[in-house]
Amino acid sequence: MLGKTIEIKLKGTPIYVYGTKAISPEEQEETLSEWVVVLDDGQIQRFHVHSRSGRVEEKTVNTPPVTLSIPHSIKPAKIQIKLGEFPPGEALRWTTPLSIRDDLQVFVERSGDVVFWNEGEITRLSVNALPDTRILVDDKERLLVLTNPTEQYQHGILGDATEAGGFVIIDANERKVIQSMMVRSPDVIESLSPLWTDWDLDGEREIVLTLSNDNTGARLALFRESGELLAEGSPIGAGHRWRHALAIAPFGPDGHIELAEVMTPHIGGTLQYVRWDKENKRLTSVASDKSFSTHDIGNRNLEMFAVTDWDQDERPELILPNQSKNELMIVKRTSEGSRTVASFDLNGRLNTNIAVLTTSNEKEAQSIVAAATKEGKFILWLN
C-alpha cells in the first residue's frame, strides 16, 4: 500500500541521496527523518521530513562544495567527515573516506596505498588498490579492498577501462593484510564493490565477484576469503556483456537465501535470483524477470536498487528501476518466479541511488523510499 508522495525541487542535478532518523523534541508523537541530497556541482541540500504530516523543512547550510565524486561519506548526523580537516591532495578523485569509528577514517591514496587517518595521524598500507574501489568493512573491523588494477579488459562501463585483478582483506586495527587473492588471466574483476557476506550462515563470510573476459563476458564466482573457489555461474557467452550482482538475502518464497542480480542491465536487463548449489559447486538461476536496469554505462553509481521489507511480511523485496528508469518497481520473489507488487512513477529519469529508511516510535512504523531524478526532483514515498 502506498501512502504520501513528497516531491521537492532541487537547486541542481542530484547524484546521491541519504537518509537517517532524526530526533524531534517538539513532536514526540511524529517521527522525523533527515535527508541529504548531493548535487553534481558539489553542493549539499538537507531536509527534515515529518512522517505523519509529510511536512518538509529545508535545513541546508552554506558549506564549501564537496570535492568527492562518490559522496558516500556525506551523511547527516555526527559521522560526517569534516571535509575541512581532510588531508589535502591525498585522496584519489574517485575514492571516498570510510568512517570506521568516530576517530578513524580510511581511504585510498593516489599511489594505491590504503591510508588510515586517525585524528591527524596517518598510516599507509601498500596494497596497489584499484583507484575507485569501495572499501568494505565487516563487524570485526576488517576491510575488503579490490587491488591490482589492469587495463586488459577494455569494456569501460564502470567509469573507466581499469578493472581489478585481485583483492585483499585488511585487519584495520593491526593495519596489516591478512588475506589476498589474484584472479587468473584473462579474467578481471568487473566491479567496484563485491558482495561480502555469510551466504550459508556457517559463521564465515564468502565473497561474490563478477569475473569478466573478452571471450565469454561476465560470470558470477563465489570464493572463500582465502581465495578458494566455491562455486561459479555460467558466463553470458560474449565479451563486453556485464551482470550486476545486487544483494544476497532470504528472497526465496521458502526463506531460502538467494543472490539477486541484473544480467545485461544496459540491454534488456534480466533480473535473476541465484542459488548456491554446494554439491555441484554451481551458482544457478532459479527465477527471472525482464526489463530492469540498475546501472548507466560509464557511471560509478552501483546503487540504483534497494532491499527492504516494504509490505512488512518479514520477507525482503527488491526495489529497482524499469529499463527506461522512469519508474521504480517493488519486486517480490514468489513460488512462480517473481512479481511486481507496487510501482512509483518518477516523472523523470532516475539519476541517483535508491535509499530506503525505516523509522518507528511507540505509535507508528514507516518505510520511506527516496530517489532523485536527472530533472532535479527529489522524491520520497512514505508507506
Side-chain angles (χ1 to χ4, degrees):
M1 187 175 84
L2 302 183
K4 298 182 181 69
T5 299
I6 299 171
E7 188 173 305
I8 302 168
K9 181 62 178 176
L10 299 170
K11 297 175 181 177
T13 303
I15 58 172
Y16 191 76
V17 303
Y18 183 87
T20 189
K21 183 178 177 180
I23 298 173
S24 177
E26 298 176 356
E27 299 176 88
Q28 296 292 342
E29 294 185 355
E30 186 173 26
T31 57
L32 181 69
S33 57
E34 181 183 358
W35 292 89
V36 166
V37 182
V38 181
L39 307 181
D40 64 356
D41 63 0
Q43 297 297 321
I44 300 173
Q45 289 187 254
R46 296 175 184 269
F47 305 94
H48 281 179
V49 177
H50 297 256
S51 61
R52 188 175 301 170
S53 64
R55 182 163 59 92
V56 176
E57 302 171 83
E58 183 160 6
K59 298 293 183 178
T60 299
V61 295
N62 293 324
T63 56
V66 179
T67 57
L68 302 174
S69 296
I70 307 177
H72 296 275
S73 64
I74 308 304
K75 313 292 187 188
K78 294 180 180 179
I79 59 173
Q80 178 183 346
I81 290 173
K82 298 177 182 177
L83 296 175
E85 298 178 4
F86 193 73
E90 296 284 354
L92 279 163
R93 181 184 180 195
W94 297 116
T95 194
T96 298
L98 173 69
S99 186
I100 297 178
R101 300 189 298 267
D102 287 346
D103 62 345
L104 180 60
Q105 284 81 43
V106 184
F107 62 93
V108 174
E109 199 182 40
R110 296 178 186 277
S111 62
D113 291 354
V114 171
V115 179
F116 298 85
W117 180 45
N118 185 358
E119 297 182 341
E121 180 181 340
I122 293 177
T123 305
R124 291 178 175 81
L125 189 62
S126 179
V127 298
N128 193 20
L130 182 72
D132 46 3
T133 182
R134 306 282 174 82
I135 305 174
L136 307 182
V137 61
D138 71 359
D139 54 0
K140 299 176 184 177
E141 296 191 352
R142 300 182 306 159
L143 311 177
L144 178 62
V145 177
L146 295 177
T147 62
N148 297 89
T150 175
E151 296 182 353
Q152 71 179 36
Y153 183 59
Q154 293 286 305
H155 194 190
I157 59 162
L158 301 179
D160 56 39
T162 302
E163 312 299 347
F167 68 80
V168 296
I169 298 176
I170 298 168
D171 185 320
N173 295 309
E174 297 293 329
R175 312 286 204 270
K176 69 177 183 180
V177 174
I178 55 177
Q179 295 285 358
S180 64
M181 193 273 278
M182 289 285 295
V183 300
R184 294 181 179 179
S185 183
D187 287 338
V188 301
I189 301 170
E190 197 174 15
S191 177
L192 305 179
S193 182
L195 301 182
W196 187 26
T197 189
D198 183 3
W199 189 335
D200 58 358
L201 305 180
D202 67 347
E204 301 291 334
R205 288 182 177 236
E206 291 81 36
I207 300 168
V208 176
L209 301 177
T210 301
L211 301 184
S212 299
N213 61 58
D214 285 312
N215 298 321
T216 59
R219 70 186 188 279
L220 298 177
L222 179 68
F223 294 88
R224 294 191 195 276
E225 291 180 345
S226 64
E228 177 189 350
L229 180 65
L230 293 171
E232 59 185 338
S234 299
I236 291 175
H240 293 197
R241 297 291 184 270
W242 188 59
R243 57 203 320 151
H244 187 184
L246 305 180
I248 295 172
F251 293 114
D254 54 358
H256 203 102
I257 298 176
E258 298 174 345
L259 182 153
E261 66 155 352
V262 174
M263 185 172 68
T264 61
H266 314 118
I267 46 172
T270 301
L271 171 63
Q272 295 195 134
Y273 293 91
V274 176
R275 291 195 178 185
W276 176 9
D277 178 355
K278 285 190 172 183
E279 182 178 352
N280 296 302
K281 296 184 178 182
R282 298 294 299 168
L283 299 178
T284 305
S285 175
V286 292
S288 64
D289 199 357
K290 292 185 177 180
S291 297
F292 298 97
S293 180
T294 51
H295 183 253
D296 285 329
I297 292 176
N299 200 312
R300 290 177 170 85
N301 177 8
L302 299 181
E303 299 177 353
M304 287 183 169
F305 75 95
V307 178
T308 188
D309 181 10
W310 177 256
D311 56 7
Q312 299 180 12
D313 66 348
E314 299 185 350
R315 285 184 49 216
E317 289 84 42
L318 272 172
I319 305 178
L320 66 172
N322 62 357
Q323 186 69 37
S324 300
K325 295 190 178 72
N326 57 10
E327 283 186 286
L328 300 187
M329 323 299 287
I330 298 182
V331 180
K332 179 181 285 291
R333 177 84 161 85
T334 67
S335 56
E336 291 78 26
S338 67
R339 63 185 175 91
T340 298
V341 296
S343 63
F344 308 136
D345 191 349
L346 288 169
N347 294 313
R349 191 180 193 280
L350 180 66
N351 205 58
T352 67
N353 59 307
I354 299 171
V356 175
L357 177 66
T358 300
T359 64
S360 63
N361 58 22
E362 293 181 356
K363 296 187 177 181
E364 63 181 353
Q366 184 177 62
S367 292
I368 304 173
V369 175
T373 68
K374 187 176 182 180
E375 293 77 13
K377 290 180 291 185
F378 177 42
I379 309 174
L380 301 104
W381 297 269
L382 284 61
N383 191 19

